[in-house]
Amino acid sequence: MDFDFSAILLALTVVFGVVWGVDRLFFYQGRKARFAAAGEDYRDPAPVDWARSLFPVIFVVLLLRSFVAEPFRIPSGSMMPTLDVGDFILVNKFAYGLRLPAFNNKVVSTGEPRRGDVVVFRFPGYICQDQDGSIVRSGDMTCADPHAPVPNQNWIKRVIGMPGDTIEVHDSQIVINGKPVVDTEIGPFKGNAARLEDNELLYYNATLWSEQLGSVKHLIARMPSRGPTPPIPNARVPSVVPPNCYIMMGDDRENSEDSRWWGCLPEQNLVGRAFMIWFSWKGMHTGAVDFHRIGTIIH
């Protein structure tokens, strides 16, 4: 999504608060006296009444979404099999620090990402070089237009590399600080061929693997026949992760546009840690509500 719902909530909170506050400071007493003099029951003008009624509701929603938990919907299959298209998830907004709504500036530090965390973040854009040789972030993957606007989108991936780590990635093989990531094959992916997302995994004979990242054990999907993916290091990703940056990858390893394409994720782009699936919708003709996924804790 390219619009910022937090920015909309913030704007509405400010507008309703200003309308209500200005009226109470400058107009309320005089208007109340006029109604009393006329012997009529007092009532606020419609705009003021709306502002007075909606301000506390919008304000509380803004606080909850900005500092406690925010719902998101999974739009693509890049995190399958952990997260499926149509999963509705909750994201812990204070896991990595309290940030101002809309501006995303951290005001209180409460923790840092850990290897294996599933993280929602603001897409940082592709690393490009402009005409004077400066490194910039662009919305153009080819870098033909290094100053193309970066879409205002929330993405979700898993933390693979931490600041200071030495990372090597060749297809689905990951080596961190000289040690290969431990993974074990489980078996072929079994899904519903009527669903587009499942059909791709079935078409490319995907296999499921159990992967251990630090203390986190989770599932990944592999589709080697789908084609090669960029290695790490590459032109956009050095072998050593820079300070305040993270290497992110999707669990559907051959079907995820992640740090291998656009570089490391700056710390200031963090939104929060995904922790639970609260609803899952497979589609009207391909399973409808997936009840067994509801309440699943995300690892």
Side-chain angles (χ1 to χ4, degrees):
M1 251 184 203
D2 289 340
F3 71 89
D4 191 331
F5 191 60
S6 293
I8 295 172
L9 285 175
L10 179 61
L12 290 174
T13 302
V14 171
V15 169
F16 291 148
V18 167
V19 169
W20 187 23
V22 168
D23 178 76
R24 284 300 184 267
L25 285 174
F26 300 106
F27 304 109
Y28 170 70
Q29 292 298 336
R31 187 171 59 247
K32 186 177 180 181
R34 289 193 298 273
F35 272 89
E40 298 177 4
D41 292 335
Y42 175 79
R43 63 183 181 277
D44 282 326
V48 176
D49 187 49
W50 276 94
R52 177 180 57 81
S53 301
L54 292 176
F55 171 77
V57 177
I58 300 293
F59 183 62
V60 169
V61 172
L62 176 67
L63 290 179
L64 290 175
R65 287 178 59 99
S66 300
F67 303 122
V68 181
E70 184 172 0
F72 289 90
R73 179 183 181 277
I74 302 301
S76 72
S78 69
M79 282 296 293
M80 291 177 70
T82 303
L83 297 173
D84 204 350
V85 176
D87 283 347
F88 291 78
I89 65 171
L90 288 176
V91 172
N92 182 340
K93 297 298 292 289
F94 57 85
Y96 309 135
L98 300 182
R99 298 173 185 268
L100 294 176
F103 301 99
N104 213 42
N105 302 105
K106 184 189 288 188
V107 291
V108 178
S109 180
T110 58
E112 301 295 335
R114 296 176 298 176
R115 197 186 323 278
D117 281 1
V118 176
V119 174
V120 170
F121 56 91
R122 296 177 185 273
F123 175 55
Y126 305 95
I127 295 177
C128 298
Q129 194 173 57
D130 67 8
Q131 291 80 0
D132 65 5
S134 301
I135 301 300
V136 296
R137 290 278 188 170
S138 171
D140 181 5
M141 179 189 287
T142 69
C143 291
D145 180 4
H147 296 287
V150 177
N152 181 23
Q153 297 174 336
N154 288 311
W155 288 29
I156 185 166
K157 306 291 178 189
R158 189 179 296 275
V159 177
I160 303 295
M162 308 286 289
D165 280 346
T166 299
I167 299 287
E168 294 180 37
V169 177
H170 300 283
D171 294 323
S172 292
Q173 303 298 321
I174 302 173
V175 179
I176 302 175
N177 298 325
K179 297 181 179 180
V181 171
V182 176
D183 49 30
T184 306
E185 185 172 359
I186 296 174
F189 171 80
K190 297 177 181 178
N192 182 353
R195 298 185 72 232
L196 179 62
E197 299 80 16
D198 288 9
N199 188 59
E200 181 176 33
L201 290 161
L202 293 168
Y203 178 81
Y204 286 108
N205 299 313
T207 52
L208 298 183
W209 295 66
S210 174
E211 181 177 82
Q212 186 80 42
L213 280 174
S215 61
V216 178
K217 179 178 285 189
H218 64 101
L219 296 178
I220 64 171
R222 291 183 176 177
M223 297 182 286
S225 60
R226 191 176 188 271
T229 54
I232 295 179
N234 62 45
R236 286 175 166 147
V237 191
S239 58
V240 178
V241 184
N244 299 314
C245 245
Y246 300 89
I247 298 299
M248 315 294 293
M249 291 177 66
D251 288 348
D252 190 354
R253 290 293 158 78
E254 279 73 36
N255 184 32
S256 172
E257 186 181 319
D258 47 41
S259 284
R260 293 169 288 182
W261 277 264
W262 41 258
C264 70
L265 174 72
E267 188 274 341
Q268 63 264 29
N269 287 66
L270 295 170
V271 171
R273 179 176 59 82
F275 68 93
M276 188 179 74
I277 299 170
W278 64 271
F279 189 70
S280 185
W281 175 255
K282 295 288 190 180
M284 184 59 72
H285 304 293
T286 52
V289 178
D290 191 344
F291 288 99
H292 87 276
R293 294 182 67 81
I294 296 175
T296 299
I297 302 300
I298 299 171
H299 297 290

